[in-house]
Amino acid sequence: MGNMSIRNIPDEAHEALKARAKSNGRSAEAEVRAMIIETARQSNSGGFGSRLTKRFKGVEGDELNIERDRTPAQTASFE
């Protein structure tokens, strides 16, 4: 496994990282590791949109033509 040191992280970013790690029940180091792993996985497999495209490839439906309802909306009443 590789090792890495990251220097000169702005204090604000470091505090945000520690807060995120705490909310996820991890150390700051474990949080950074999880972020790096997730980013690497996404770049290898594509993002959510790419996965959706692969999942529904070949499914027809782009010829669907629905007329837009142009009826004015009613004003909300809070009484």
Side-chain angles (χ1 to χ4, degrees):
M1 293 197 156
N3 289 307
M4 179 183 296
S5 293
I6 303 172
R7 294 182 288 271
N8 302 320
I9 299 172
D11 290 337
E12 185 177 295
H14 189 236
E15 292 303 318
L17 175 65
K18 289 193 301 187
R20 178 177 167 158
K22 184 176 180 180
S23 71
N24 288 326
R26 298 189 267 236
S27 68
E29 180 181 345
E31 187 67 22
V32 170
R33 188 180 310 113
M35 292 166 66
I36 291 170
I37 291 168
E38 180 61 27
T39 300
R41 283 185 184 148
Q42 286 179 0
S43 66
N44 288 336
S45 64
F48 181 68
S50 297
R51 293 193 306 269
L52 277 177
T53 300
K54 287 177 190 174
R55 169 69 175 89
F56 294 105
K57 186 175 184 175
V59 175
E60 299 298 323
D62 60 347
E63 72 283 349
L64 185 61
N65 186 12
I66 299 175
E67 186 70 28
R68 181 177 174 189
D69 180 9
R70 298 197 180 271
T71 307
Q74 298 295 318
T75 305
S77 176
F78 298 102
E79 294 177 3

